[in-house]
Amino acid sequence: MHFSFFFVGLSSTASTRQSNDVVESTDPTWKYCTMPDVNKKQSLKCNYCDKIYHGGITRIKYHLGKVPKCGVAKCGKVPSDVQEEMLNLLSKKDDNKQKKSVEKEEERAQVDLNYSEGEEHSDGDGNSILVLKKVTSKGGPMDKYCKLTPEEVVAARKGKSGVAEKVQSKLSTEKREEKRDRAWEYICQFFYEAGIPHNSVTLPSFDLMLEAIGDFGRNLRGPTPYEMSGKFLQKRKRKVQETLKSHKESWELNGCTVMTDAWTDKRGRGVMNLVVHSAYGVCFLDSVDCSAVKKDGRYIFELVDRCIEEIGVQNVVQVVTDNARPNEAAASLLKAKHPSIFWNGCAAHTIDLMLEDIGKMPRVAATISKAKCLTVFLYAHTRVLNLMRKFLSRDLVRCGVTRFATAYLNLKSLLENKKELQRLFRDDELNELGYLKSAKGKKANMIVKSETFWKGVETAVNFFEPLAVVLRRMDSDVPAMGFLYGYLVQAKIEISRRFNHDSTKFQEVFHIIDKRWESKLKTPLHRAGYYLNPFYYYQNKLAIEENETFRDGGITCITKLVPN
């Protein structure tokens, strides 16, 4: 016994010397453990059982103290006096943590957003001025490892993280609510003075900003304008560029679509945006001011080609533009240089052209013209407009993404409010205003009371609505190539159903749809998307297999994309 105890003691002494050579610490626990590898400072070996534990000196304390339910095995060879020493050390550590917690609570209690040092200070105009005294933050060495980040706190508050139970945002006292309201006043004052839109508070970055300011504490100096436009802007730019990595990985894995969007800004400048769409989402790539150049096929091709080279030819499946003639010329140049890339017209633009062609049909155009006369009369006079809103409890005119989408929405709104509008024009108050005696008033009155007009509105809505649903789906950020063909099939079925399958009533509309569909939206890529979409394939398996064009579309796509 004496010899074994002697050797254990000797081993402990030697290990203590080895540990002290590497670790400078006054913690007595280092007498009972060693660090086998100086490069792994968190891996420590118990001198009694020779087992290695990872996680630092605190886990050795749990091990030697035989503390239950702490994720560390109990040491079976530790002497009782050492075990008691470890328990005392752990208890003392808990007392220190509790003391720090109490000190922090006392410091927080000193914060008063209404008063400073027990009294409120006012400026010459009678406005309260917030004067804060400096409070030194006391953080332990483990704070940087244990403290939640602003992102984690915000996510927990919204129930998006497993650490929600660690964050207590409950306002427990009336005094705390007063402080919160006072803080909100300053936040709102900043928004009012800077002219920042109020819905900016819904941005995730606003929550992160508040949490970061609260985490810093008192006397936080804001960035200067130079700093905001300098290093912090560059830092944010680098972060945005880092997020592009996920997009680029998706481009390489699944391919992508390059889209162009030409428009005119408020200053009359011609602008072309280049956007990349993939399974990961939409990514803005470039914006070009093309006011001073001729936007012909060659110019558009060069812009798109530069974009393709930047992304990688092998990663681009198709280019999507509107159906203007310069784009068709650019498509020919692209096919010559990159035969493996498809060039397709914008589906949303093509469907809008369908709506436009339907709107030019004589009976539909006449209905739209009458509806315009009615709405112009209602919105031309403030008192008539106020009375209309009183009857309808809403506005009548609605705006859509395109001109003829707007026409559909307004016809739909008229149809939904038919009874209220007829009741408005029968009301004595409108007659007493005297506007119905004018030529426009008489015409509007006749339109509202005409059943022929309302039947025309219903017919136009039945033509427009199924296609407007497809337009809304195409104009979203959700990939729709595999659904477009099916959407148009469903739209035609819905139009037929609304007219009780009487082809004489919708034959002209079907001709318009098919003409645009055949020329722009029945490419091999569209047919392959429909063929490979299980949502449609298993519903219509027999019909799809009997129509060889779908399978041919798939084969054409494979041959074009993989020439070898």
Side-chain angles (χ1 to χ4, degrees), residues 75-93:
C75 183
K77 299 180 180 181
V78 61
S80 58
D81 59 329
V82 176
Q83 179 186 357
E84 186 176 353
E85 182 181 1
M86 294 298 106
L87 291 173
N88 289 335
L89 287 173
L90 290 169
S91 177
K92 184 178 179 181
K93 183 178 180 180

Side-chain angles (χ1 to χ4, degrees), residues 151-262:
E151 289 85 353
E152 290 174 331
V153 173
V154 172
R157 188 186 302 137
K158 296 182 178 180
K160 297 180 180 178
S161 170
V163 297
E165 65 273 10
K166 297 180 183 179
V167 182
Q168 297 180 357
S169 59
K170 184 177 179 181
L171 301 176
S172 56
T173 63
E174 184 179 346
K175 189 67 177 176
R176 187 172 177 82
E177 290 179 354
E178 291 177 1
K179 295 175 182 178
R180 179 203 62 187
D181 290 345
R182 185 61 174 164
W184 283 1
E185 286 182 23
Y186 284 102
I187 293 171
C188 292
Q189 181 181 348
F190 167 74
F191 272 70
Y192 303 152
E193 291 179 356
I196 300 173
H198 299 170
N199 61 356
S200 299
V201 299
T202 61
L203 294 172
S205 55
F206 181 76
D207 288 337
L208 296 176
M209 177 187 69
L210 293 183
E211 194 60 42
I213 293 171
D215 182 54
F216 183 90
R218 296 277 185 80
N219 297 322
L220 172 62
R221 180 188 65 83
T224 64
Y226 175 77
E227 289 172 330
M228 291 188 72
S229 60
K231 64 176 183 178
F232 290 110
L233 180 61
Q234 294 302 318
K235 188 175 182 180
R236 189 63 202 168
K237 179 183 176 181
R238 287 193 295 270
K239 286 185 178 180
V240 172
Q241 290 174 337
E242 287 175 4
T243 62
L244 293 179
K245 292 180 181 178
S246 300
H247 284 275
K248 292 179 179 179
E249 290 173 0
S250 178
W251 301 346
E252 295 174 359
L253 182 64
N254 302 311
C256 65
T257 297
V258 176
M259 299 186 296
T260 67
D261 179 27

